[in-house]
Amino acid sequence: MNTNNQTKAIYTILAWTISGLIFFPILWTAITSFKTEAEAISSSPSLFMFEWTLENYSDVLARSPYFEHFWNSIVISVGSSLVGLLIAIPAAWSMAFVQTKRTKNLLMWMLSTKMLPPVGVLIPIYLLFRDTGLLDTKLGLVIVMTLINLPIMVWMLYTYFKEIPHEILEAARMDGASIKDEIFHVLLPIALPGIASTMLLNVILAWNEAFWTLILTAANAAPLTAFIASYSSPEGLFYAKLSAASVMAIVPILILGWFSQKQLVRGLSFGAVK
Amino acid sequence: MGSITLKQVTKSFGDVNVIKPLDLQIRDGEFIVFVGPSGCGKSTLLRMIAGLEDTTSGTIEIGGQDATHMPPAKRGLAMVFQSYALYPHMSVRNNIAFPLKRAKVEPEVIEEKITTAAKMLNLTDYLDRKPGQLSGGQRQRVAIGRAIVRQPSAFLFDEPLSNLDASLRVNMRLEISELHKSLNTTMIYVTHDQVEAMTMADRIAVFNGGVIEQVGTPLELYQKPVNRFVAGFIGSPKMNFIDVQPSAGDATHCIGVRPEHLQVTQDNGLWTGKVGVIEHLGSETFLHVHVENTGTLTVKTDGECPLKYGDVINLTAPQNKILRFDKAGNTITTDTADKPAISSAS
Amino acid sequence: MATTHSRTLAKLMLLPSVSLLLIWMIVPLCMTLYFSFLDYNLLMPGDNAFIGLMNYEFFLTDPAFIESFFNTLLLVLGVLFITIGGGIGLAILLDQAIWGRNYVRIMVLAPFFVMPTVSALVWKNMFMNPVNGLFAHFAEFIGVTPVDFFAEMPLLSIIIIVSWQWLPFAALILLTAIQSLDREQLEAAELDGAGPFSKFIYIVVPHLSRAVTAVILIETIFLLSIFAEILVTTSGGPGYASTNITYLIYTQSLLQFDVGGGSAGGIVAVIIANIVAIFLMRLIGKNLEG
C-alpha cells in the first residue's frame, strides 16, 4: 500500500507539473488580462501579487466591436454546422444502412477532399466571392465552412450510425413506420449523442478556422479569429489588452470543449479510437 | 388470414443465387420452422417474406393476396429479431406501443393492449424501464409483446433464442409454443438448432444451399428423411454414416444408423469396435466406438453403462432402422424386405 | 442488403453531399488550372495571354519555392515528431493512477481549443518577445542573453507554437487508445514472463499503431495548410525563412495579385498534397480497417 501510494504521489506530481506547464500560457494570458499595461511587461512578473483591474476588458470593448465579431463567429460556426448536419445526415444514413460495394470508396473520396489544400482553390474562390458579392459576408463563410467540414461530418455520423443495429430500423419498418417515422422516431433519437458531438466538433473547428476566415473577411463578417489577428502589430505590444481580447475569443469554445471532451475523442479520430 | 404461399421464389445477389426457385405453402395457424446450417438461405427467405429483402423472381402471397412488392409495413406481419431490435431510447411501454401508434390506434386502446400483453408476458413491473435495464429473457419478451399487440396475420421469428443462455432458451421455447397454442396465429420460425425445430414445429422445412431439402412433421423427418443431408441434420447426436461397397442389384453407397438404434451385443453383431470416449449424461450414455475400416460410431445407450475405455464390443442394429443412401445421397425407399440385409462384411 | 426502394432512396440522399463536394472540388480546381496557364495579374489589366507553362517554370525555379517546400516538410515532420512523441509520453503518464486526473486532463486538453491566431500572438508577444517576453525575463534572471526567437529561429519558433496546439490532440487520442487496451492481454503477457519494457514494445505499441495512424493523418491534413500562425508572427520572414507553401502562394496571389503564378503554385500544392494523400490513404487503409 505504502509503495503504491508513493508511486502514485510521484506520478501525480509529475503529471501536474507537466500539465501545468502545458496549461501555463493560457493561465498566464488570463492573469495578464487583469494587469495594468505597466505590470504586464514588468521584468519581475508576478503571478497574483498585483493590482487586479478590469480596465483592459472595457478598453477592448470600447475600442472595437467585439460583440459583432463574437456574433459573426457564432453565426459562422453554428450556422455551418447546422447546414452541414442537414446535408450530412441523409448521406451518412445511406452509407451506414444501405451499404454497397462503392460505399467505402465514396467515403475515402470524401475524406480525400479534405486533403485538397485550400491554396489550390484560393484564387477562384476569392474571385468568385468578389464577383458574387459574397466576400466579407457571413453567408459566404457559412458556405465555405460547411463545405470544408462536410467530409468530416459525414464520416463521423457514418461511424455513429454504423453502430446502430440494422435490425432496429428494420423492426420499425415491420412495425409500420414510414421512412419519416423511421428517421424521426427511431434513428435520430438513438443517434442523438453522435449527432450532438458531430455538431460540437464542427462548431469548434469552424470557430478556430483561420485560413478562410482571415482571407475572405474584412470589416463586416470578420469573426474572432480575424479580430485577434488585428492585434498582431503594433497593438500586440500592449500585453494586457491583447490578453483580454484573447480571453474573450477563446473562453466560449474552451468551456464548450472541456464540457464535451469525452465525445470529442471519437470524432477527432474519425472513429478510429473509441 | 395467415396463410402464406411462395411460388417459384428466387433471390440472387449479383451472380450468387441465394434462393433457388422454391415453392412452399404455409397454412393458416401453422407453426413452421425453417432450419438449416448458416448460409443456407433460411433467414434470407424469412426477410423476403417480411419485405426487408427484394424478391428476385416469383411471387409471395400473404392471406391470398400478392404481396411480392408490398413494403414491409403493409404486409401485416410482425417480426422478432435475433438481437431483439428493441428501441433503446424508449421505455418498454413505448416499445410495445410503437406499432400501435404508427397504426394510429386510440390511446385508450393502446393502453389496454399494453396491459394485456404485459400481463401475458410477465412484464407488468417493467413497463417503465428502458430495454438496457432488462435481462436477455425480458428483452425477448418485450420483442414478442411488441409483435403480438399488432395482431399480425403471421409472426416471423429470426433465430430469436440464440442470444439466450441454455436454460433460458428452454423456458422461452416453451413460452413461444404456449403462445402459439393460445393465439393460433401462423408462425414462421428460423433457427439453426434442430432441437428447437423438433420441439416446436408443426412442420419443419430443412434448408440447404438455397433449396428446401424436405418439408414435413418432425417425426416424418426423423423417420423418413429424403436424403443423407436431412438424416444427418435431424436428430442428436448425429446419425452415423458408414460407406459401403455397392454391389450388383444394390445401389446403396452409404448406410445410416442413428446412435439410439445401435445396440451393444454379446455375440457377433454387425460391427466390432473398441470403446473410446464415454460421455455420461446421467439419463443416458454416449459411447464413441472406433470400428476398424469404418470410423467412429456414436452409440446412445442407458444411463448406467458398465463399459470402460478400451473395451471391445459388438454393435448391431435392427434392419428396419438402417437407412440406405444412393450415390447422390438420396434415400433408397424400397421396402426393407426387398433389400439385401446389411452384413458385417461391409 | 436492402430493397430496391431503399437503394433508390439512399442514392437520392447521397446526392446533395456528393454533388456539393464534387462542385466544390472540381469547379475551383479547374479554374485554378486554367489561370495557371495565363499571364494574369490583377494589378495589370491586360488580355491575360496564354503563356503555357511559364508560370510553373517561374514558380518551381524560384528559390523561394525550394525554401518553402523544405520549410513545409520541416514544419509537418517536426510537429508530428514532437506531438506524437510527447503525446505517447503524456498518454502513458495520464494512464497511471494519479490524484486529480480529470483536472490534469482538462489542463492538457486546453491548448487545442485555442484559436491559432490567439496562440500565435500570445506566444510571440508574451513569451518569445526578446525584450518583454517571459522567456527573456527568465533568461535575464538566470543571467544569459535573451534569444530573439523570431529573428534567430523563426521556423523552430513556429514549430513550437504549432506543437503546443496539437500536443493535446495527440495525447488525448493516444490516452483513449491506451485505456481501451485489453487488460487481460497485459496480464497474460505478464504470466508469460514479459517485463514492463517488452510489454510496452509487444503489446502497447502495436495496439497504439491504429491511433497513431489516425493522429498522423489528421494532423498532416491540418499542418500542410498552416497559415494563420505564420501570418500573425513572422509574415514568412525573415526573407523566406518561415514561409511554407501555403503562405508563399498566399503572398503571390493576394499580396502581389499574381493570379497566374499563384494558381500555378496552387496546382503544385495540390500535387504535393496528393502524393502525401496517397501515401496516407495506404496507411489508413491498412490500419484503420483492421
Side-chain angles (χ1 to χ4, degrees):
Chain A
M1 259 344 249
N2 214 349
T3 49
N4 246 344
N5 265 340
Q6 244 171 36
T7 38
K8 192 173 174 179
I10 291 169
Y11 279 130
T12 303
I13 292 168
L14 200 62
W16 275 86
T17 312
I18 293 175
S19 59
L21 282 175
I22 291 174
F23 185 66
F24 182 73
I26 297 173
L27 179 72
W28 188 245
T29 308
I31 288 171
T32 308
S33 73
F34 296 107
K35 290 179 174 177
T36 60
E37 289 296 353
E39 194 90 54
I41 57 167
S42 153
S43 60
S44 50
S46 153
L47 253 184
F48 300 108
M49 304 306 286
F50 58 86
E51 212 160 306
W52 292 67
T53 170
L54 282 173
E55 72 182 24
N56 299 309
Y57 286 91
S58 53
D59 279 0
V60 169
L61 290 177
R63 241 183 33 156
S64 54
Y66 166 79
F67 286 107
E68 230 168 81
H69 297 301
F70 179 77
W71 176 240
N72 289 343
S73 274
I74 299 256
V75 171
I76 291 163
S77 57
V78 176
S80 68
S81 301
L82 286 177
V83 177
L85 278 182
L86 221 59
I87 303 169
I89 287 177
W93 176 89
S94 294
M95 292 184 177
F97 297 114
V98 193
Q99 287 212 340
T100 65
K101 274 170 265 167
R102 265 162 293 156
T103 302
K104 269 268 123 68
N105 292 336
L106 201 59
L107 268 171
M108 277 297 172
W109 171 73
M110 284 198 173
L111 195 61
S112 74
T113 66
K114 264 313 274 183
M115 300 247 179
L116 182 71
V119 283
V121 294
L122 167 64
I123 292 171
I125 296 292
Y126 185 84
L127 296 178
L128 283 173
F129 270 42
R130 190 194 62 184
D131 296 344
T132 50
L134 282 171
L135 214 55
D136 200 19
T137 61
K138 290 192 272 287
L139 176 66
L141 276 182
V142 167
I143 293 173
V144 171
M145 291 295 142
T146 303
L147 286 168
I148 62 172
N149 286 335
L150 191 61
I152 295 187
M153 292 193 120
V154 173
W155 184 287
M156 268 181 84
L157 289 169
Y158 167 78
T159 65
Y160 284 111
F161 286 179
K162 239 180 55 167
E163 279 177 13
I164 300 172
H166 283 223
E167 291 189 335
I168 290 183
L169 298 186
E170 288 175 353
R173 243 168 273 168
M174 292 299 294
D175 282 346
S178 62
I179 277 286
K180 199 184 100 226
D181 290 336
E182 188 183 318
I183 289 181
F184 284 98
H185 290 288
V186 181
L187 176 66
L188 291 186
I190 296 176
L192 203 59
I195 293 172
S197 46
T198 306
M199 165 106 189
L200 215 72
L201 178 69
N202 279 277
V203 168
I204 293 172
L205 286 179
W207 185 280
N208 289 341
E209 204 283 338
F211 180 77
W212 294 110
T213 52
L214 296 183
I215 284 173
L216 297 179
T217 64
N220 293 324
L224 289 167
T225 44
F227 156 73
I228 292 296
S230 72
Y231 276 76
S232 62
S233 64
E235 289 94 331
L237 298 174
F238 296 99
Y239 291 1
K241 283 183 201 66
L242 170 68
S243 297
S246 296
V247 168
M248 287 197 284
I250 63 173
V251 156
I253 225 66
L254 204 55
I255 291 170
L256 196 65
W258 278 339
F259 188 64
S260 57
Q261 45 166 324
K262 275 250 163 62
Q263 294 89 295
L264 280 179
V265 175
R266 264 195 68 163
L268 287 171
S269 66
F270 292 131
V273 174
K274 283 170 195 162
Chain B
M1 287 297 287
S3 69
I4 293 169
T5 311
L6 310 179
K7 286 182 191 155
Q8 289 296 301
V9 166
T10 68
K11 171 79 184 171
S12 16
F13 292 116
D15 298 336
V16 189
N17 297 321
V18 193
I19 304 282
K20 290 163 192 147
L22 172 155
D23 289 295
L24 183 66
Q25 168 81 45
I26 299 165
R27 293 186 281 269
D28 185 29
E30 181 174 35
F31 195 122
I32 189 164
V33 173
F34 294 175
V35 71
S38 58
C40 66
K42 58 189 192 298
S43 278
T44 308
L45 186 65
L46 188 79
R47 291 168 55 82
M48 285 158 69
I49 295 172
L52 296 171
E53 295 280 355
D54 280 336
T55 304
T56 308
S57 68
T59 56
I60 297 174
E61 284 174 18
I62 298 171
Q65 233 190 334
D66 185 0
T68 318
H69 300 293
M70 272 189 199
K74 297 270 155 60
R75 298 191 181 200
L77 307 174
M79 186 152 165
V80 174
F81 292 86
Q82 180 175 0
S83 62
Y84 324 130
L86 299 180
Y87 309 123
H89 57 296
M90 297 181 195
S91 64
V92 170
R93 182 189 303 279
N94 285 330
N95 262 283
I96 299 177
F98 187 78
L100 298 173
K101 284 183 184 162
R102 299 285 79 73
K104 307 246 172 352
V105 176
E106 305 277 307
E108 307 88 67
V109 183
I110 293 183
E111 198 47 45
E112 196 188 301
K113 288 197 172 191
I114 292 175
T115 315
T116 323
K119 210 175 277 168
M120 194 162 146
L121 295 163
N122 279 329
L123 288 169
T124 312
D125 296 340
Y126 305 102
L127 277 178
D128 293 314
R129 295 209 189 163
K130 292 271 173 69
Q133 300 163 295
L134 301 179
S135 69
Q138 287 164 340
R139 284 182 214 183
Q140 188 57 266
R141 283 203 197 91
V142 176
I144 293 172
R146 191 173 64 184
I148 58 177
V149 288
R150 312 178 47 193
Q151 295 172 308
S153 56
F155 289 95
L156 313 178
F157 291 91
D158 189 7
E159 309 226 9
L161 305 185
S162 49
N163 284 348
L164 299 177
D165 63 44
S167 64
L168 208 52
R169 203 149 47 198
V170 175
N171 284 338
M172 286 305 297
R173 214 160 74 194
L174 285 173
E175 282 187 40
I176 293 175
S177 292
E178 196 71 44
L179 194 71
H180 177 243
K181 293 281 173 297
S182 63
L183 295 174
N184 243 322
T185 311
T186 312
M187 290 188 177
I188 307 177
Y189 188 106
V190 166
T191 181
H192 61 269
D193 179 356
Q194 60 92 24
V195 179
E196 274 176 30
M198 292 296 278
T199 51
M200 301 170 84
D202 292 332
R203 280 198 305 159
I204 298 174
V206 181
F207 282 70
N208 186 31
V211 297
I212 296 183
E213 299 276 1
Q214 189 173 5
V215 186
T217 64
L219 275 184
E220 271 168 21
L221 296 188
Y222 179 78
Q223 288 166 346
K224 293 179 190 137
V226 295
N227 57 26
R228 190 176 157 161
F229 178 82
V230 176
F233 200 81
I234 301 291
S236 171
K238 217 170 125 82
M239 179 181 273
N240 297 299
F241 293 106
I242 302 157
D243 291 327
V244 295
Q245 283 300 324
S247 55
D250 180 14
T252 308
H253 257 73
C254 171
I255 59 169
V257 191
R258 295 197 181 277
E260 52 271 40
H261 296 145
L262 279 173
Q263 294 152 1
V264 182
T265 57
Q266 301 301 317
D267 37 83
N268 54 342
L270 292 170
W271 301 280
T272 306
K274 214 184 209 174
V275 176
V277 172
I278 304 174
E279 295 175 293
H280 292 284
L281 274 76
S283 60
E284 60 213 18
T285 305
F286 299 144
L287 307 173
H288 298 272
V289 182
H290 305 295
V291 178
E292 216 163 300
N293 299 328
T294 301
T296 303
L297 299 183
T298 310
V299 181
K300 181 175 166 183
T301 173
D302 299 339
E304 282 153 47
C305 174
L307 294 169
K308 297 186 306 293
Y309 181 85
D311 284 354
V312 174
I313 55 167
N314 292 318
L315 294 171
T316 188
Q319 290 291 338
N320 66 343
K321 297 289 188 195
I322 297 176
L323 293 168
R324 296 142 198 266
F325 305 101
D326 64 16
K327 199 173 174 192
N330 292 319
T331 311
I332 298 169
T333 49
T334 37
D335 280 331
T336 323
D338 300 345
K339 287 182 277 184
I342 296 295
S343 67
S344 56
S346 53
Chain C
M1 294 280 170
T3 59
T4 330
H5 176 67
S6 55
R7 264 192 293 269
T8 318
L9 193 73
K11 275 182 198 140
L12 221 68
M13 289 166 96
L14 270 174
L15 203 64
S17 299
V18 173
S19 48
L20 279 174
L21 280 177
L22 209 60
I23 294 169
W24 166 248
M25 260 184 103
I26 301 296
V27 174
L29 209 54
C30 289
M31 286 171 74
T32 307
L33 194 64
Y34 171 67
F35 291 153
S36 72
F37 296 118
L38 300 183
D39 178 17
Y40 184 2
N41 193 309
L42 291 178
L43 294 183
M44 291 178 270
D47 53 357
N48 303 339
F50 183 84
I51 53 166
L53 293 174
M54 285 270 275
N55 285 322
Y56 289 94
E57 211 184 308
F58 274 121
F59 186 81
L60 290 172
T61 54
D62 186 352
F65 165 71
I66 310 293
E67 198 173 351
S68 59
F69 175 79
F70 284 107
N71 286 340
T72 309
L73 211 64
L74 273 176
L75 184 58
V76 172
L77 292 179
V79 174
L80 280 178
F81 180 76
I82 295 173
T83 55
I84 289 174
I88 291 178
L90 261 177
I92 290 172
L93 182 60
L94 296 187
D95 186 45
Q96 307 301 322
I98 51 173
W99 283 292
R101 178 151 60 181
N102 278 341
Y103 298 103
V104 171
R105 205 163 64 177
I106 279 180
M107 287 199 289
V108 169
L109 191 58
F112 183 69
F113 301 118
V114 176
M115 56 179 63
T117 41
V118 166
S119 58
L121 281 180
V122 163
W123 276 91
K124 174 192 175 189
N125 292 310
M126 292 165 60
F127 288 88
M128 292 174 164
N129 183 296
V131 181
N132 291 323
L134 214 54
F135 290 157
H137 291 321
F138 184 72
E140 271 162 25
F141 179 73
I142 58 170
V144 296
T145 321
V147 183
D148 187 350
F149 284 89
F150 286 99
E152 289 167 36
M153 43 177 106
L155 190 64
L156 183 66
S157 305
I158 290 170
I159 289 178
I160 291 171
I161 297 173
V162 176
S163 297
W164 178 75
Q165 288 177 292
W166 284 95
L167 179 63
F169 168 78
L172 187 71
I173 301 262
L174 294 169
L175 173 63
T176 315
I178 288 184
Q179 285 172 339
S180 74
L181 180 61
D182 184 5
R183 300 286 140 166
E184 280 182 12
Q185 247 185 53
L186 285 178
E187 283 163 12
E190 220 161 296
L191 285 178
D192 290 341
F197 182 71
S198 37
K199 269 195 291 186
F200 181 73
I201 291 293
Y202 294 109
I203 296 182
V204 179
V205 170
H207 177 77
L208 283 185
S209 68
R210 197 179 143 94
V212 169
T213 311
V215 172
I216 292 178
L217 171 75
I218 295 156
E219 284 196 11
T220 308
I221 291 177
F222 286 93
L223 295 178
L224 277 176
S225 319
I226 288 286
F227 171 73
E229 289 85 341
I230 297 172
L231 177 76
V232 300
T233 53
T234 63
S235 297
Y240 288 101
S242 61
T243 298
N244 67 354
I245 291 180
T246 301
Y247 196 79
L248 180 70
I249 296 165
Y250 159 77
T251 50
Q252 218 157 47
S253 316
L254 296 185
L255 298 184
Q256 297 159 16
F257 298 101
D258 178 4
V259 171
S263 295
I267 295 297
V268 171
V270 170
I271 291 168
I272 293 173
N274 264 303
I275 294 169
V276 176
I278 289 168
F279 175 72
L280 285 177
M281 286 293 175
R282 287 257 167 89
L283 205 69
I284 24 169
K286 257 207 320 255
N287 264 337
L288 283 190
E289 286 313 310

